[in-house]
Each structure stands twice: as C-alpha cells, then as structure tokens.
Amino acid sequence: ILLPVLYRGTRVAVWLLGIEAWKPLRRLTARALRQCWRVLAISQHTIDRFRRANPDLVDVRVQVCAPAVPAIAIAATEMSPSHDLSRPYALIVGRMAANEQYKGHDELLEVWSRVLREVPGARLVIAGTGDHEARPRAKGRRLGLDDTVVFTGRVSGERLAALYRDARFFVMPSRNEGFGLVYLEAMRAGKPCIASPGAAEEIVHDTVHGFIVNSRDDDALTAAMVRLFADDELCRRLGAAAAAHVAGRFTPAHFRERVYDALDLRAVPLMC
C-alpha cells in the first residue's frame, strides 16, 4: 500500500507500535519503510527489538515518540457488591489472549500463596478478558486461590478508574510490552507499579515509581509485592512520585509537543 503513495511524492510517517514491529519485514515492506519521511516508535525498547529483527534496517532513523494518558476525574464509584474489595489488593489490567500469555498473569498466580503467607487477607484483582480468560481462572482454582483472587472480566471505564483508585499498587510483570499504557494509567492514579525489564523501564523507574523485577524471579516478585503491601509510607511516596511523573511528561500536551517536534509541524501552517 505504501509504495504507490510514496511514488506520488507523498510524505509518509510510519509508527512502530510494539510487538507487531518486532518481526522481520517482507522485502517490499522494508523497501517502503526506507522511503518514508519519518519513522517513529512508541519506545526505545520497540526500536531495539525492531532493529534486532531487521538488521538490514539498522541505518533507518527511528525516533521515539511516547504516548500519553489524559487527565481523568475518578468518581467515587462503589465497587460491585459481588466483589468484596474492602481488603488491600494488588491490581493487574490486561488482555488474557492466546497470543498474549506474556503479561504475567501466570507468574502472579504462581507466587500468590507466598504473598499471602506474609500478608494474610491480601487480594489480587485481575481486570480484563480475552479468549483465554478461562485458563487463568482454572489455574487460580487449581492453586486454591478462589477466595483471594478476583477476576472482574470486562469493566467499564468508570469501574476501571475506581479499581486503579482503590488498589494498593499495580503489578504487571510482562515480558513483551511495546510500551505499557496501563502503567501510565495506574501511575496517573497515584499507584506505584511493579513491572519487568523492557519498555516498562522507560516509564517506571526502579525504586522511584515502583520496582522493576524479573518476572521469572519468584523471590523478587514476591518480595516487591509484600513490601508494597506492608509499607504504607513507601507506597505513598512511590505513588506520589508516579503521579508527578505522568503529570510532568505523559499528558496529551506533552504528546502533542513530541508529535510536533517529530514531524516538524511547527514549521508548517496548520489548517483549522
């Protein structure tokens, strides 16, 4: 599709959005990419993975242009009466799809009993759905976690905002995020995050806005969650720093500035 457009002299900007760009490109696609006016990516991690998969394109200039999240007024929405979330809970938000089993649901379920030994009464809330939602649900039952793990299924935007608001912290030890917008959503609500190495490190700074832990390291993952459940002051401090980080770098105004800079739009009169 791109080549005919490029041959007409149209200036084309391409955005690398994550794992879809981490695969070897077909020859014609690679040829078209070389002729694009601008190539942008949502994270440096995505650029690195793109270049690793396409070594013949390492000379193509790619610029990071990170996304943002809008400000949101989190209403005092009551939790569904079918879910008793009065006890402190950790929150993960993500699709449970057959091709996205890297999000960290399995790792969290596998260590949750260890967390409970240190923090009796804690809960893990899993928000989201997908074509493989039945699998982690069954795993939770098999591990005897029915009373401490809540699967919310699909939730409304208002309900999700309330879940972020009332969570103790956000945890998604994903191994393959292209960026990780959910981290920004949690941080916007003043929640510290636990994430894994990769794109998340460009958002969540270790010991500043939360913790970066290897998702395969059960001890480290357990310790990070136990620490945030147990230490009120640490949780408050990291959450406040997280909210300030989003407000200072990841608002729609910041995103607009990044896009304008990346596409040289300041030099071009904009049509209203």
Side-chain angles (χ1 to χ4, degrees):
I1 297 174
L2 278 179
L3 284 174
V5 175
L6 290 165
Y7 287 151
R8 289 199 294 269
T10 304
R11 295 198 300 182
V12 174
V14 170
W15 217 303
L16 306 180
L17 294 179
I19 61 175
E20 296 84 358
W22 300 356
K23 303 171 184 176
L25 299 182
R26 292 179 295 180
R27 186 175 62 179
L28 285 179
T29 304
R31 178 180 170 189
L33 192 71
R34 282 190 173 280
Q35 298 181 47
C36 287
W37 174 54
R38 292 285 191 277
V39 181
L40 310 177
I42 56 175
S43 66
Q44 182 60 48
H45 182 68
T46 286
I47 295 175
D48 295 341
R49 293 292 298 267
F50 166 76
R51 287 177 171 159
R52 195 183 312 167
N54 297 277
D56 292 342
L57 296 173
V58 294
D59 59 322
V60 173
R61 183 175 183 269
V62 186
Q63 183 173 343
V64 174
C65 192
V69 288
I72 187 170
I74 304 178
T77 306
E78 290 186 1
M79 293 302 172
S80 167
S82 63
H83 296 149
D84 174 16
L85 300 182
S86 58
R87 289 179 283 173
Y89 65 88
L91 175 67
I92 177 173
V93 178
R95 288 187 298 273
M96 286 170 276
N99 62 345
E100 294 185 67
Q101 295 183 43
Y102 52 78
K103 294 284 186 182
H105 296 89
D106 286 308
E107 288 82 356
L108 290 175
L109 291 170
E110 286 162 9
V111 303
W112 195 248
S113 292
R114 299 174 61 176
V115 174
L116 291 173
R117 285 198 289 271
E118 300 293 330
V119 191
R123 283 201 167 184
L124 172 64
V125 174
I126 299 176
T129 188
D131 57 15
H132 263 219
E133 183 181 350
R135 190 186 60 79
R137 283 180 179 268
K139 183 169 189 171
R141 288 192 297 271
R142 188 169 64 252
L143 293 171
L145 302 174
D146 279 350
D147 293 335
T148 60
V149 176
V150 175
F151 288 86
T152 69
R154 188 183 302 277
V155 296
S156 67
E158 197 173 67
R159 167 81 166 144
L160 180 60
L163 287 171
Y164 279 126
R165 177 198 66 200
D166 295 331
R168 179 75 171 184
F169 56 88
F170 182 80
V171 54
M172 191 175 79
S174 175
R175 302 184 300 277
N176 279 322
E177 291 303 302
F179 179 73
L181 206 60
V182 287
Y183 300 117
L184 288 187
E185 292 176 351
M187 293 166 70
R188 175 183 59 189
K191 304 302 170 182
C193 294
I194 298 174
S196 287
E201 293 176 284
E202 299 176 42
I203 307 168
V204 182
H205 298 166
D206 188 38
T207 73
V208 178
H209 312 121
F211 299 110
I212 301 295
V213 300
N214 189 322
S215 64
R216 302 297 195 187
D217 188 335
D218 290 353
D219 291 340
L221 181 57
T222 300
M225 288 192 284
V226 168
R227 190 175 178 191
L228 289 178
F229 272 126
D231 193 329
D232 291 343
E233 173 55 27
L234 175 66
C235 217
R236 185 206 62 77
R237 176 166 53 82
L238 296 180
H245 187 47
V246 171
R249 186 180 175 192
F250 292 106
T251 68
H254 294 110
F255 178 62
R256 184 171 57 248
E257 292 291 314
R258 288 193 283 271
V259 172
Y260 277 29
D261 288 342
L263 301 182
D264 293 334
L265 292 180
R266 298 183 190 286
V268 180
L270 298 179
M271 300 295 292
C272 296

